[in-house]
Amino acid sequence: MQILLSALILVACLSNYVLGSAIPQHARRQPVLPAPQLITLPLKRLQTMPRDIHPQMLMQQYINHASKRLARMTGREEPSEHQLRSEIHKRLYLLDGGSAPSPSSSFKDGNTRLGMAVAHGHGKQSSEGMVNNGTTMPGNTTAPGNATSSGDPATSGNSTGISPVDIQAANNGGLTPANPPTTNNSLGLAIEANDVAYIATIQIGTPAQDFRILMDSGSADFWVGSENCQSSAGGGCGNHTFLGSQSSSSFVSSTTQFQVTYGSGAVQGTLCQDQVGIAGLTLNNHTFGVATAETPQFANSSVPFDGLMGLAQSTLSQQNVSTPVESLASNGLIPAAITSFKISRLSDQLNDGEVTFGGLDSSKFVANTLITIPNVNQHGFWEGAIDAVSINGADSGLTGRTAILDTGTTVMVIPPGDAQQLMQGLGGTCDTQQCTLPCTANSSLALSFGGSSFSINPSDLLILPIQPNNPTGDCVAGIQPQQIGTPTQWLVGDVFLKNAYFSTDVGNNSISLAKLSAP
């Protein structure tokens, strides 16, 4: 009996071994992974920090954000926290006396923003050749030859230095409202602080609520704060408009999680469905995110927006859903997944910023200057080849560069060697740590795309005075040195985009630019 029992046990063990060995490795029970955790970057969004800080330190924090983010985007090793802190320490020695100025002479935080999201996976291949961007929205057609609203750099004087309007906005923050849009399917873009970012108002839920949304061509996720949102610093998510079942009868929650890390801040939450109204167009049961956790860069009450709409290609999306413009097109509400931007300048006091969905607003640009180029980025960002870079009308000699065009980024961040070459021609100074220009600088910088040159207004190359009480002294430049991608890759934000009409086309994987019409 004992022998029989032993034999049965042996057979059972052998059977279990054989069956277990026969199960494919991928079909075996896998360990349960922990839920994704919110990643909080150590450098806070500058505007929301309560302490005073020197503008040069603000700029180094911004460059650190860009360096870390684009390293992730391109699959390179991120700089270590020690290296990032070292860059901050080096910049301290560039200040007069080797230390930061007294709090009474400092600006409030928040003079730059980085909107690009961290890329994951692979994007679409770039298209071949030149294609037309498609639909032009109805508007007041501009006759060829009109001057651009950015002015002629050869004649634009700057003897008074930084505009008092910009200095006041940098101190006060908040939003400058936009004028009503001039064409259909469009939203006005309010200006955050001194041209830091651009915000539109949309409607979500039943009954519809207004949400202020940052429009970002450098990411592909759309989210707003949840009714149960919590800040990673503790407490709620500030004085914002939130979404959930208590405020919207059409809100449908899910258990699908998402998280997005930006150059300045991060959010985590779940996907949902609800009614979304964009410029009079309604997306029924649209899928997007509600953030249940936000870092202070988004959760603080001083942040003037309630969420963010990514308008890059959905191949970049952390939520793995279509962007709003792609959904508008697939639902037949607009002719094509085209997003067009007219970025305004606070000091002009025109407040004519606008984002148009489905086409271009012909009243905003000179028709015969419109060019279209292929998108060369394979991750879902909008990146175009730069034909030439000129300074005061002369070729700089820089060739083979590309520009990631991002409405959510305030300045231009380019490799140190390129930055030094540009600053030398512009009459400024630049080392591996910082670039500065005289606040009265009047030199012209132009980037060429698709055979057309686009000049940058000299005032856009100046962020804020290094000494806040001296608006005609030296200024932090709108171009800063840092290799955050390949040696030929530039991150080009609103410093340039305020000087061109900018349009993206998902279907054709292309970018269009045109010179601005006269106001």
Side-chain angles (χ1 to χ4, degrees), residues 304-325:
F305 53 88
D306 307 310
L308 187 147
M309 183 181 292
L311 294 166
Q313 299 184 45
S314 58
T315 49
L316 184 63
S317 172
Q318 309 292 314
Q319 300 170 345
N320 295 313
V321 298
S322 297
T323 64
V325 69

Side-chain angles (χ1 to χ4, degrees), residues 63-122:
I63 293 171
N64 282 355
H65 287 317
S67 179
K68 195 169 184 177
R69 184 167 193 164
L70 209 55
R72 294 182 185 181
M73 182 194 77
T74 55
R76 295 174 176 81
E77 183 179 357
E78 295 180 33
S80 68
E81 294 303 318
H82 173 76
Q83 289 173 317
L84 296 177
R85 285 194 297 269
S86 176
E87 297 301 322
I88 293 288
H89 294 159
K90 288 177 184 177
R91 191 172 288 269
L92 284 172
Y93 291 99
L94 299 173
L95 303 176
D96 288 342
S99 61
S102 64
S104 62
S105 64
S106 296
F107 284 104
K108 290 178 68 176
D109 303 334
N111 305 116
T112 56
R113 182 191 299 284
L114 177 66
M116 291 176 61
V118 178
H120 74 291
H122 298 286

Side-chain angles (χ1 to χ4, degrees), residues 338-465:
I338 295 171
T339 309
S340 303
F341 298 90
K342 198 288 181 183
I343 302 296
S344 57
R345 181 182 299 106
L346 179 66
S347 61
D348 288 347
Q349 298 286 277
L350 297 174
N351 304 332
D352 58 349
E354 178 185 276
V355 57
T356 299
F357 300 95
L360 296 81
D361 182 354
S362 60
S363 70
K364 298 295 186 183
F365 64 93
V366 181
N368 66 352
T369 67
L370 182 68
I371 59 96
T372 302
I373 59 176
N375 178 25
V376 300
N377 190 280
Q378 298 182 2
H379 298 281
F381 295 97
W382 299 110
E383 183 174 8
I386 303 175
D387 297 335
V389 181
S390 62
I391 300 173
N392 296 324
D395 189 355
S396 69
L398 295 173
T399 59
R401 272 55 174 180
T402 62
I404 296 175
L405 302 175
D406 180 16
T407 61
T409 290
T410 310
V411 299
M412 294 171 56
V413 183
I414 68 178
D418 291 354
Q420 290 172 359
Q421 187 170 338
L422 292 185
M423 285 298 113
Q424 183 178 6
L426 291 168
T429 60
C430 194
D431 55 26
T432 58
Q433 301 301 315
Q434 68 167 350
C435 295
T436 63
L437 278 167
C439 296
T440 55
N442 193 36
S443 297
S444 170
L445 175 67
L447 307 183
S448 293
F449 296 90
S452 185
S453 179
F454 297 89
S455 296
I456 298 175
N457 189 301
S459 67
D460 294 327
L461 296 173
L462 309 168
I463 302 301
L464 284 174

Side-chain angles (χ1 to χ4, degrees), residues 18 38 90:
V18 171
L38 179 67
K90 288 177 184 177

